[in-house]
C-alpha cells in the first residue's frame, strides 16, 4: 500500500517502494531540492501521491475527508498536515540520510537539514558542506581514487584512511588517539565484505556529521586518555557529544530560519529530560554510548520503526549477504544467523552478535566483546561464556533474552520502582515442594500467581511468605508451581531435583524456570542459588529430649568389670597384703596378743589391720604397740587417704563420662562423642573440625532413628531437613512431645560456612547470566526485608508451622521418681523371708502347714514345744531346780556294792590304758588338723576379705554419689 512506511517519491505524484537495498538510498535530487526551499513543517504540501489523506479546509465540511475541492463547499481540499518526521517516514524514506532527527519535542520533533542560503552565506556555508545530502555522491567519488584489488564504486581501508580520515577534524582525533582508523572502517563495513560501498559510506557520513559540525569527541571512558584502544575504537556518541550536537544544531537552524524568513519559534534548545530522551531512544543496547550500528539499525534498517527487523526489512538492509562486493568475508551472515530464536524478526541485540564477531568464526572472544562495547550492567564476559571460554550462538541467545527481559537499556536513563526490573513478557516459574515445614498447599492446586498484593489463603509456610514479599517488592509477575512430595528424600533415597524442571531458559517462550528448595540438596554444577530465605538455615545439633539417666546397678556393674577398676583393685590388694606382712613382722614379738606369732594367724591379723586402717574405718580391735609400728601406721594412714582420694577422682571421672552426653549444648561440645552426619555433608570433614567420631547416614531418617535408639550420642544435620523429617514422620505431632530436640544455635564457624543453605532459590546459570541477575535480586530483597523487620515478622508468624507446638493430653504427666517394680520386688522378698522364719520357729504358718501338709510339715509335740519354749526363755539358766518334783532311785545293798566296785576298778585300768593311747593319737591328729585349719582359714579369710573390700568400695561409691545417680526409667 502507498500509505505503508518506506515509500519513496520522485515527484509530487510518482512514489514507489524500494525494490532492493540500493534504491533505499536513491534520493531524487530534483525533488529533494524542492524540500530545501521550504521549512520542514511545510514539506507535507509537496506531495500529492495517490492515497494521500486529504481533508476540507474551511467551508461547511471542514475536517471532512475529500479528494477534490468540489467536495468541500466553501473551502478547499488539502493534504492533512503531517509533522516533518512523519512525512519523511511515509513519503521520503529514501532521503532519510538527508535529515537528522533531534527527537524533541515529542509529537513534532525538530529535523536538522540543509536549506537555501539567501543571506550570510559565509557563516552558514558549513550547513551546505556537511548537511547537504546531494553532495554525498561527489564526496564518495573523490574518496574512491583507486580500483586496485576491488571493484569500482567501493572504498578499501587504504583509501578510507588516506582520503577520509586525513580530513579535519578526523585527522586531529586520530592524532590524539581518540579514534581508531581500522576499527572505524570495520564498523562502517556493515555487510562484512571488507569494502565500503556508497550506501555504507552514506551511513557513516550521516552518523559522523555531528562530529564534523561540532568538532568534538566523546569523553574518555573510565578515566582513560586513549579512546582509540577502548570500546568501538572511539567511534561512538556519548552524552557529552549529544549535548554539544543539539546546541550546535539548534544554533545553526536558528540562523538558517532567520536568514530565510522562517519562524524561529520552530526550533529551540531541549528542555530538561528531552536531551536524555534523545539518548535513550538512540541507545539500543543500554551502554550509554550510541554506535554507528545502533544508528543504522534504528534510523535506516528499521523502516517501519517498530524496534525489530522483519524479513522484508532485512532484505532491504545492508545486513543481507547479497549486498557483498566479493570482499574478504563475502557477507557470511544470513537471516538464520541473525534470528537466534527463530521468531521471524531480528532485534538489535541479535544483530549485535554479527557485528561483534569480527573474525566471523561464530564465537565472540574477550577482545571482540570489549571492542563491541557490551555494557557491564548486563554482566561480565565470564558470566556469559560457554565451556570453550567463548560466547557461541547458544550462549549469545541467552544474553539476548536476558537483555530484553531485564529492561536494563531503559534503566540507564530512567529510574524504576524496582532496582531489578523484569519484563512481564518473560514469564518466571517458581517450583516448590509441597507438604514441608516451609510450604503447604491446602487446595492441592498446581499453580498460583506471585507478585500479588495479597497472599493466597490456600498457601502457607515461610518459603511462600518470603517469596511472595520478594516478588511483590520487585514488581515481578511470576507463577508458583507446586511439586508433589513423596518424602523420598527423607526416607533414604537421593533428593530428586527433576520435578523442579530447572533447565536453560526457553528462548522461544522467553520463560525462566526456578526452583525454591526447602531441603538440603547437592545441586548440579550448572545451577546457581541464592542465599537462604530462612534466618535459621544451616547445620544444627540434634540430641535426645530427655537427659541421659544412669542406673546405679548398671554403673556398679560396668565399673566392676572395667579394666581400670580391676587393675586398681588387684594392685591395692597386693599392697595391703605386703603391708599386713610388714606390720606383723614389726609387732609379733612385742604385741603377740594382737598380732599372734603363728604365721597364718599373724598375717591374717596384719592384713585385717592394714585394710581397716587404709579405709579409715579404724575398729580399734587391733593397733600397733611399738614405736616403729605406730610410725608405720601413720605412713599407712596418709597413704590410704591418697589412695582413696585417687580412687574417688576415678569414680567421679567414670560417672562424668557416663553423664557427659547430657552436657552437649552446641557443636563445640561434640568432641569425643559418636555423632551422625549426612553423606551429603561428609565432604566437609565435620568430624575433623569438631573432634567427634562420625557415623555417615544416607538420610536424615537413618541418623535420627539411630539417635533415638541410643546408637548415637548426637547428630549434626541441616536444620531444614530435620524439621521436614519431624513433619513427615509425625514426630512433631507426637503426644507428650518430640523425643528429639535441637540444642545450641546454628553452626557458623569454620568450614561449615561453605555449606550451601537448604531453603533457597536456584536457577540454571551455565552461561546464563540472567540467573545471577534474578538471584541477586532475591538476595537484595531478602536483605532489605531483614533490615526493615519484615523477615522477623514472617519468621515469628511461621514459627508454629516450622516448629509445631507439643501435643498434650491428660496422659502427659511428669514421670515418677519411684522405681515401683523394684520396690514391689523388695517387699515381696521381705515378706517371703518373714514367712520362712515363722515356719522354722513353729509359728502360726507352721501350724497351718502341718494341717494342710502333714507329711512335709509334721506337727510338733506339746512336750517339745513346751521344752523348746522353756529353753528359748532368756531366764532359763537362772532358774533353780525344784527337788520336790524330782524322783530319785532306791539305794543299793552292801553285798551288791563290793562286786560293782571291783568291776569298776578293772574297767578303770583298761580304760586308762586306752585313754592314753587315744590321747596320743588325738594329739597328733589335732596338731595336723590345726595346721590345716589355719591354712584353710587363711585362704578363706583372704577370699572373704576381697569380697568385703569390694563391697565396702561399692558402698562408699553409692554413699558418696547416690544423690547424683538416677535409676533408669522403665
Amino acid at each position: 500500500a502507498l500509505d505503508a512506511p518506506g515509500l519513496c517519491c520522485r515527484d509530487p505524484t510518482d512514489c514507489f517502494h524500494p525494490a532492493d537495498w540500493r534504491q533505499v538510498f536513491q534520493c531524487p535530487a530534483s525533488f529533494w531540492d524542492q524540500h530545501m526551499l521550504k521549512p520542514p513543517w511545510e514539506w507535507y504540501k509537496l506531495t500529492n501521491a495517490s492515497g494521500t489523506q486529504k481533508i476540507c479546509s474551511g467551508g461547511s465540511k471542514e475536517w471532512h475527508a475529500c479528494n477534490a475541492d468540489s467536495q468541500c463547499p466553501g473551502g478547499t481540499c488539502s493534504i492533512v498536515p503531517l509533522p516533518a518526521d512523519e512525512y519523511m517516514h511515509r513519503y521520503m524514506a529514501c532521503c532519510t540520510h538527508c535529515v537528522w532527527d533531534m527527537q524533541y519535542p515529542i509529537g513534532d520533533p525538530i529535523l536538522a537539514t540543509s536549506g537555501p542560503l539567501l543571506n550570510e552565506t559565509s557563516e552558514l556555508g558549513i550547513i551546505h558542506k556537511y548537511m547537504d545530502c546531494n553532495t554525498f555522491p561527489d564526496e564518495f567519488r573523490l574518496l574512491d581514487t583507486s580500483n586496485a584489488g576491488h571493484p569500482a564504486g567501493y572504498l578499501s581501508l587504504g583509501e578510507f584512511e588516506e582520503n577520509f580520515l586525513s580530513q579535519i577534524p578526523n585527522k586531529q582525533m586520530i592524532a590524539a588517539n581518540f579514534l581508531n582508523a581500522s576499527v572505524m572502517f570495520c564498523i562502517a563495513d556493515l555487510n562484512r565484505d571488507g569494502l565500503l560501498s556508497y550506501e555504507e559510506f552514506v551511513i557513516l557520513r550521516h552518523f559522523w556529521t555531528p562530529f564534523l559540525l561540532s568538532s568534538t569527541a566523546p569523553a574518555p571512558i573510565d578515566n582513560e586518555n586513549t579512546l582509540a584502544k577502548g570500546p568501538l575504537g572511539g567511534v561512538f556518541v556519548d552524552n557529552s557529544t549529544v549535548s554539544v550536537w543539539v546546541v550546535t544544531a539548534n544554533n545553526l537552524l536558528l540562523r538558517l530560519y532567520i536568514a530565510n524568513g522562517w519562524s524561529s519559534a520552530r526550533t529551540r534548545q531541549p528542555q530538561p529530560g528531552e536531551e536524555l530522551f534523545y539518548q535513550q531512544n538512540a541507545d539500543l543496547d543500554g551502554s550509554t554510548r550510541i554506535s554507528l550500528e545502533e544508528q543504522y539499525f534504528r534510523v535506516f534498517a528499521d523502516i517501519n520503526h517498530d524496534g525489530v527487523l522483519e524479513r522484508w526489512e532485512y532484505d532491504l538492509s545492508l545486513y543481507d549477504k547479497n549486498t557483498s562486493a566479493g570482499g574478504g568475508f563475502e557477507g557470511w551472515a544470513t537471516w538464520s544467523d541473525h534470528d537466534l530464536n527463530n521468531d521471524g524478526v531480528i532485534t538489535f541485540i541479535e544483530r549485535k552478535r554479527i557485528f561483534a564477531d569480527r573474525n566471523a568464526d561464530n564465537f565472540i572472544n574477550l577482545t571482540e566483546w570489549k571492542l563491541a562495547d557490551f555494557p557491564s550492567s548486563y554482566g561480565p564476559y565470564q558470566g556469559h561464556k560457554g565451556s570453550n571460554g567463548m560466547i557461541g550462538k547458544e550462549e549469545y541467545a541467552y544474553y539476548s533474552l536476558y537483555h530484553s527481559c531485564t529492561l536494563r537499556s531503559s534503566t540507564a536513563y530512567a529510574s524504576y520502582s524496582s532496582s531489578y526490573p523484569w519484563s512481564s513478557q518473560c514469564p518466571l516459574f517458581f517450583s516448590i515442594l509441597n507438604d514441608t515445614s516451609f510450604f503447604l498447599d491446602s487446595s492441592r492446586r498446581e499453580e498460583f500467581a506471585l507478585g500479588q498484593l495479597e497472599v493466597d489463603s490456600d498457601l502457607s509456610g515461610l518459603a511462600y511468605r518470603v517469596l511472595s514479599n520478594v516478588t511483590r517488592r520487585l514488581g515481578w509477575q511470576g507463577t508458583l508451581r507446586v511439586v508433589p512430595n513423596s518424602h523420598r528424600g527423607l526416607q533414604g533415597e537421593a533428593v530428586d531435583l527433576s520435578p523442579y524442571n530447572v533447565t536453560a531458559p526457553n528462548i522461544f517462550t522467553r520463560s525462566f524456570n526456578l526452583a525454591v528448595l526447602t531441603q538440603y540438596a547437592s545441586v548440579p554444577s550448572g545451577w546457581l542459588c541464592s542465599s537462604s530465605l530462612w534466618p535459621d538455615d544451616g547445620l544444627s545439633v540434634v540430641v535426645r529430649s530427655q537427659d541421659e539417666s544412669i542406673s546405679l546397678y548398671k554403673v556398679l556393674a560396668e565399673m566392676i568389670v572395667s579394666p581400670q577398676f580391676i587393675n586398681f583393685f588387684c594392685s591395692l590388694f597386693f599392697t595391703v597384703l605386703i603391708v599386713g606382712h610388714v606390720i606383723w613382722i614389726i609387732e609379733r614379738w612385742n604385741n603377740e596378743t594382737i598380732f599372734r606369732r603363728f604365721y597364718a594367724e599373724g598375717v591374717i591379723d596384719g592384713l585385717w589391720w592394714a585394710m581397716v586402717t587404709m579405709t579409715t574405718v579404724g575398729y580399734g580391735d587391733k593397733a600397733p604397740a611399738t614405736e616403729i609400728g605406730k610410725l608405720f601406721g601413720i605412713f599407712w594412714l596418709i597413704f590410704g587417704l591418697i589412695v582413696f582420694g585417687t580412687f574417688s577422682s576415678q569414680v567421679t571421672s567414670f560417672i562424668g563420662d557416663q553423664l557427659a552426653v547430657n552436657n552437649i549444648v552446641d557443636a563445640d561440645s561434640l568432641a569425643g562423642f559418636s555423632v551422625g552426619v549426612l553423606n551429603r555433608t561428609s565432604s566437609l570433614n565435620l568430624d575433623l573440625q569438631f573432634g567427634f567420631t562420625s557415623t555417615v547416614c544416607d538420610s536424615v531418617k537413618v541418623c535420627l532413628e539411630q539417635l533415638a535408639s541410643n546408637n548415637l550420642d548426637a547428630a549434626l544435620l541441616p536444620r531444614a531437613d530435620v524439621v521436614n523429617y519431624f513433619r513427615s514422620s509425625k514426630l512433631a505431632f507426637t503426644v507428650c512431645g518430640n523425643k528429639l530436640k535441637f540444642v545450641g544455635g546454628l553452626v557458623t564457624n569454620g568450614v561449615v560456612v561453605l555449606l550451601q543453605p537448604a531453603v533457597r532459590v536456584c536457577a540454571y546459570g551455565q552461561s546464563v547470566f540472567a540467573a545471577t541477575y534474578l538471584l541477586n535480586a532475591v538476595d537484595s530483597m531478602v536483605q532489605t526485608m531483614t533490615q526493615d523487620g519484615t523477615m522477623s515478622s514472617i519468621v515469628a508468624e511461621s514459627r508454629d508451622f516450622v516448629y509445631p507446638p507439643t501435643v498434650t493430653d491428660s496422659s502427659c504427666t511428669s514421670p515418677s521418681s519411684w522405681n515401683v517394680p523394684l520396690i514391689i520386688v523388695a517387699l515381696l522378698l521381705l515378706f517371703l523371708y518373714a514367712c520362712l522364719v515363722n515356719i522354722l520357729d513353729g509359728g502360726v504358718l507352721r501350724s497351718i502347714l502341718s494341717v494342710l501338709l502333714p507329711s512335709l510339715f509334721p506337727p510338733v509335740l506339746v512336750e517339745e514345744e513346751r521344752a523348746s519354749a522353756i529353753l528359748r526363755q532368756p531366764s532359763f539358766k537362772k532358774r533353780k531346780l525344784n527337788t520336790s518334783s524330782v524322783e530319785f532311785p532306791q539305794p543299793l545293798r552292801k553285798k551288791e556294792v563290793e562286786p560293782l566296785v571291783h568291776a569298776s576298778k578293772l574297767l578303770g585300768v583298761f580304760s586308762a590304758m586306752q585313754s592314753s593311747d587315744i590321747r596320743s593319737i588325738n594329739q597328733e591328729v589335732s596338731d595336723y588338723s590345726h595346721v590345716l585349719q589355719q591354712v584353710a582359714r587363711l585362704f578363706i579369710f583372704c577370699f572373704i576379705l576381697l569380697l568385703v573390700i569390694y563391697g565396702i568400695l561399692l558402698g562408699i561409691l553409692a554413699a558418696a554419689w547416690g544423690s547424683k545417680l538416677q535409676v533408669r526409667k522403665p
Side-chain angles (χ1 to χ4, degrees):
L2 291 179
D3 195 29
L7 191 66
C8 295
C9 296
R10 298 186 180 93
D11 57 45
T13 60
D14 183 14
C15 299
F16 67 97
H17 286 287
D20 56 40
W21 57 277
R22 292 189 182 278
Q23 291 184 357
V24 173
F25 296 93
Q26 292 178 357
C27 180
S30 58
F31 189 39
W32 181 249
D33 288 341
Q34 299 179 31
H35 292 74
M36 294 298 96
L37 299 177
K38 291 182 176 292
W41 53 89
E42 294 182 359
W43 286 351
Y44 73 94
K45 298 179 179 179
L46 296 177
T47 183
N48 193 25
S50 175
T52 303
Q53 293 182 356
K54 298 180 179 181
I55 58 173
C56 294
S57 299
S60 60
K61 293 188 177 181
E62 188 174 11
W63 307 113
H64 285 220
C66 63
N67 293 319
D69 292 341
S70 59
Q71 297 177 347
C72 303
T76 60
C77 183
S78 60
I79 300 174
V80 176
L82 289 177
D85 67 323
E86 184 66 19
Y87 170 78
M88 292 294 299
H89 177 59
R90 289 191 179 185
Y91 303 109
M92 298 298 294
C94 296
C95 298
T96 302
H97 58 282
C98 298
V99 297
W100 287 260
D101 191 347
M102 306 303 292
Q103 301 187 44
Y104 75 89
I106 298 176
D108 190 8
I110 300 171
L111 297 186
T113 185
S114 181
L117 304 178
L118 301 181
N119 299 304
E120 301 185 28
T121 306
S122 59
E123 295 184 14
L124 296 179
I126 190 174
I127 296 180
H128 176 74
K129 179 179 179 181
Y130 292 124
M131 303 183 70
D132 188 355
C133 60
N134 289 330
T135 65
F136 289 176
D138 295 334
E139 185 177 350
F140 179 78
R141 282 190 292 268
L142 292 175
L143 298 177
D144 186 14
T145 59
S146 174
N147 294 329
H150 62 82
Y154 292 90
L155 296 181
S156 65
L157 176 60
E159 292 173 317
F160 181 75
E161 291 179 341
E162 180 179 355
N163 300 326
F164 181 75
L165 296 181
S166 61
Q167 301 174 9
I168 303 298
N170 303 333
K171 183 177 181 179
Q172 289 87 341
M173 295 176 66
I174 292 178
N177 286 324
F178 286 171
L179 191 62
N180 188 310
S182 60
V183 173
M184 187 177 190
F185 182 84
C186 291
I187 291 175
D189 184 15
L190 296 172
N191 60 7
R192 311 296 303 282
D193 62 355
L195 297 172
L196 289 187
S197 64
Y198 166 73
E199 292 75 17
E200 290 172 326
F201 172 76
V202 169
I203 300 302
L204 173 63
R205 184 64 174 73
H206 184 273
F207 175 77
W208 206 243
T209 294
F211 292 93
L212 300 176
L213 286 173
S214 58
S215 297
T216 186
I221 301 175
D222 299 331
N223 297 322
E224 295 182 1
N225 295 323
T226 303
L227 287 174
K229 296 181 179 180
L232 302 170
V235 187
F236 61 85
V237 175
D238 63 356
N239 57 350
S240 64
T241 51
V242 168
S243 299
V244 174
W245 159 242
V246 294
V247 172
T248 302
N250 180 71
N251 290 336
L252 290 175
L253 290 178
L254 184 61
R255 297 292 299 273
L256 180 66
Y257 291 175
I258 294 175
N260 290 283
W262 300 339
S263 173
S264 61
R266 301 304 294 261
T267 183
R268 61 174 175 81
Q269 297 290 347
Q271 298 293 328
E274 290 182 334
E275 184 177 320
L276 187 65
F277 179 75
Y278 176 95
Q279 298 178 48
Q280 180 178 353
N281 285 344
D283 183 12
L284 301 182
D285 60 2
S287 65
T288 69
R289 289 175 288 274
I290 304 169
S291 66
L292 181 146
E293 189 77 30
E294 290 171 297
Q295 176 88 349
Y296 173 71
F297 186 94
R298 179 180 64 88
V299 177
F300 297 97
D302 184 15
I303 298 175
N304 59 8
H305 298 309
D306 60 355
V308 296
L309 298 188
E310 299 176 23
R311 183 57 188 261
W312 66 272
E313 292 174 307
Y314 172 81
D315 293 337
L316 293 175
S317 72
L318 295 176
Y319 300 146
D320 189 359
K321 65 180 298 183
N322 294 324
T323 64
S324 170
F329 294 101
E330 298 183 356
W332 67 276
T334 63
W335 166 264
S336 60
D337 293 323
H338 286 81
D339 187 11
L340 295 177
N341 57 1
N342 296 326
D343 60 350
V345 295
I346 300 174
T347 64
F348 172 75
I349 300 302
E350 289 177 317
R351 162 60 194 177
K352 191 172 181 178
R353 183 181 77 93
I354 309 300
F355 163 71
D357 186 11
R358 307 310 304 178
N359 58 6
D361 62 351
N362 231 357
F363 289 96
I364 301 175
N365 56 40
L366 181 58
T367 302
E368 293 172 331
W369 177 271
K370 293 180 178 179
L371 184 62
D373 191 28
F374 285 93
S376 59
S377 58
Y378 290 95
Y381 176 82
Q382 290 74 12
H384 302 285
K385 67 180 182 179
S387 58
N388 63 349
M390 296 187 293
I391 300 177
K393 187 174 182 179
E394 180 180 5
E395 291 81 16
Y396 193 87
Y398 298 145
Y399 172 80
S400 174
L401 178 60
Y402 165 61
H403 194 284
S404 61
C405 291
T406 55
L407 304 174
R408 300 299 294 179
S409 58
S410 54
T411 58
Y413 303 97
S415 60
Y416 282 74
S417 59
S418 170
S419 56
Y420 292 90
W422 188 262
S423 172
S424 60
Q425 302 300 318
C426 303
L428 295 175
F429 295 97
F430 297 85
S431 298
I432 188 171
L433 192 66
N434 193 18
D435 194 15
T436 68
S437 294
F438 304 95
F439 177 76
L440 179 63
D441 171 22
S442 58
S443 67
R444 302 299 175 183
R445 286 186 289 169
E446 294 182 354
E447 292 187 355
F448 299 86
L450 285 175
Q452 306 298 322
L453 294 178
E454 296 182 358
V455 297
D456 198 307
S457 58
D458 293 329
L459 305 181
S460 56
L462 181 140
Y464 167 68
R465 293 294 306 278
V466 172
L467 189 62
S468 178
N469 272 270
V470 167
T471 53
R472 183 172 64 251
R473 292 185 179 213
L474 291 171
W476 294 355
Q477 299 297 320
T479 301
L480 185 65
R481 290 176 172 174
V482 181
V483 177
N485 188 359
S486 61
H487 300 293
R488 290 182 301 172
L490 300 176
Q491 304 299 329
E493 298 183 18
V495 178
D496 184 14
L497 299 177
S498 59
Y500 292 98
N501 194 30
V502 175
T503 57
N506 191 318
I507 61 175
F508 304 106
T509 62
R510 305 164 63 87
S511 60
F512 289 78
N513 294 335
L514 300 94
V516 183
L517 302 182
T518 54
Q519 57 183 329
Y520 180 78
S522 298
V523 299
S525 58
W527 287 25
L528 294 179
C529 296
S530 68
S531 301
S532 180
L533 306 181
W534 183 35
D536 293 339
D537 203 352
L539 286 180
S540 293
V541 179
V542 185
V543 298
R544 289 178 285 275
S545 298
Q546 295 294 331
D547 286 343
E548 186 73 16
S549 60
I550 299 179
S551 171
L552 174 62
Y553 314 108
K554 181 180 179 181
V555 170
L556 295 178
E558 290 180 354
M559 187 177 63
I560 290 173
V561 299
S562 65
Q564 296 85 354
F565 183 82
I566 293 176
N567 294 337
F568 171 79
F569 180 78
C570 293
S571 300
L572 184 63
F573 172 74
F574 285 110
T575 303
V576 171
L577 186 61
I578 293 173
V579 171
H581 279 77
V582 172
I583 195 65
W584 173 66
I585 293 173
I586 294 173
E587 297 290 326
R588 63 179 297 216
W589 302 110
N590 300 321
N591 194 9
E592 62 177 334
T593 58
I594 303 300
F595 297 95
R596 290 169 287 183
R597 291 187 178 183
F598 185 67
Y599 172 77
E601 295 176 337
V603 170
I604 292 298
D605 294 336
L607 193 62
W608 172 259
W609 174 85
M611 181 59 69
V612 171
T613 302
M614 183 191 68
T615 57
T616 67
V617 175
Y619 281 113
D621 56 340
K622 295 184 183 296
T626 64
E627 298 300 329
I628 298 177
K630 292 179 179 179
L631 291 175
F632 182 76
I634 293 173
F635 164 76
W636 182 241
L637 279 171
I638 296 174
F639 179 78
L641 291 175
I642 296 174
V643 169
F644 268 84
T646 303
F647 175 72
S648 298
S649 65
Q650 291 181 350
V651 172
T652 302
S653 177
F654 183 84
I655 296 178
D657 292 341
Q658 297 295 318
L659 296 175
V661 69
N662 295 336
N663 298 326
I664 297 178
V665 294
D666 52 28
D668 294 330
S669 59
L670 292 176
F673 292 101
S674 176
V675 180
V677 297
L678 280 181
N679 187 27
R680 289 171 280 169
T681 62
S682 59
S683 60
L684 298 175
N685 296 322
L686 300 174
D687 52 347
L688 298 179
Q689 182 176 355
F690 297 104
F692 57 76
T693 302
S694 64
T695 299
V696 179
C697 308
D698 292 333
S699 67
V700 174
K701 177 178 181 291
V702 174
C703 269
L704 296 185
E705 285 181 350
Q706 292 192 24
L707 176 61
S709 59
N710 293 329
N711 293 327
L712 294 174
D713 297 321
L716 188 57
L717 304 171
R719 196 179 190 94
D721 286 13
V722 175
V723 297
N724 282 329
Y725 175 76
F726 286 165
R727 174 175 292 273
S728 65
S729 63
K730 306 303 180 182
L731 282 177
F733 311 103
T734 304
V735 178
C736 304
N738 192 345
K739 58 183 178 180
L740 301 174
K741 66 177 182 179
F742 293 104
V743 292
L746 297 178
V747 182
T748 57
N749 57 325
V751 74
V752 178
V753 298
L754 301 177
L755 181 69
Q756 293 293 327
V759 185
R760 51 184 169 160
V761 179
C762 296
Y764 183 86
Q766 184 69 38
S767 304
V768 182
F769 191 76
T772 302
Y773 175 85
L774 294 171
L775 299 177
N776 286 343
V778 173
D779 287 343
S780 176
M781 285 300 102
V782 169
Q783 184 177 4
T784 301
M785 292 166 59
T786 302
Q787 294 172 352
D788 63 20
T790 304
M791 184 63 71
S792 299
S793 176
I794 293 176
V795 171
E797 293 177 2
S798 306
R799 182 161 297 276
D800 288 345
F801 191 82
V802 178
Y803 305 102
T806 302
V807 180
T808 59
D809 59 14
S810 58
S811 64
C812 299
T813 58
S814 301
S816 175
S817 58
W818 297 92
N819 194 337
V820 177
L822 184 63
I823 295 175
I824 293 176
V825 172
L827 292 176
L828 290 176
L829 291 176
L830 182 63
F831 177 74
L832 177 62
Y833 290 144
C835 293
L836 292 176
V837 171
N838 185 271
I839 291 173
L840 294 176
D841 289 346
V844 178
L845 292 178
R846 177 61 182 268
S847 301
I848 295 174
L849 294 175
S850 298
V851 176
L852 299 177
L853 301 171
S855 58
L856 297 177
F857 300 95
V860 182
L861 298 177
V862 177
E863 293 79 1
E864 294 178 352
E865 293 179 358
R866 186 180 300 172
S868 299
I870 293 174
L871 293 175
R872 287 195 298 270
Q873 293 180 2
S875 59
F876 174 75
K877 294 182 179 181
K878 297 180 180 180
R879 293 182 182 181
K880 294 183 179 180
L881 182 63
N882 187 3
T883 56
S884 61
S885 62
V886 180
E887 297 180 359
F888 295 95
Q890 295 296 325
L892 295 174
R893 297 183 181 87
K894 184 177 181 180
K895 60 178 182 179
E896 296 176 343
V897 171
E898 294 180 356
L900 292 175
V901 172
H902 179 69
S904 60
K905 288 180 179 181
L906 294 175
L907 291 174
V909 173
F910 288 112
S911 61
M913 295 173 61
Q914 293 177 352
S915 297
S916 177
D917 296 336
I918 293 172
R919 280 196 296 273
S920 299
I921 295 173
N922 288 337
Q923 185 63 38
E924 294 177 359
V925 172
S926 177
D927 292 340
Y928 287 112
S929 65
H930 182 71
V931 174
L932 294 175
Q933 289 176 5
Q934 293 299 323
V935 173
R937 288 172 58 189
L938 176 62
F939 285 103
I940 293 174
F941 179 77
C942 291
F943 177 73
I944 295 175
L945 184 61
L946 289 174
L947 296 179
V948 171
I949 294 174
Y950 208 48
I952 291 173
L953 295 178
L954 296 180
I956 293 173
L957 177 64
W961 300 95
S963 60
K964 296 184 179 181
L965 300 178
Q966 302 178 14
V967 178
R968 183 179 295 279
K969 296 180 179 62

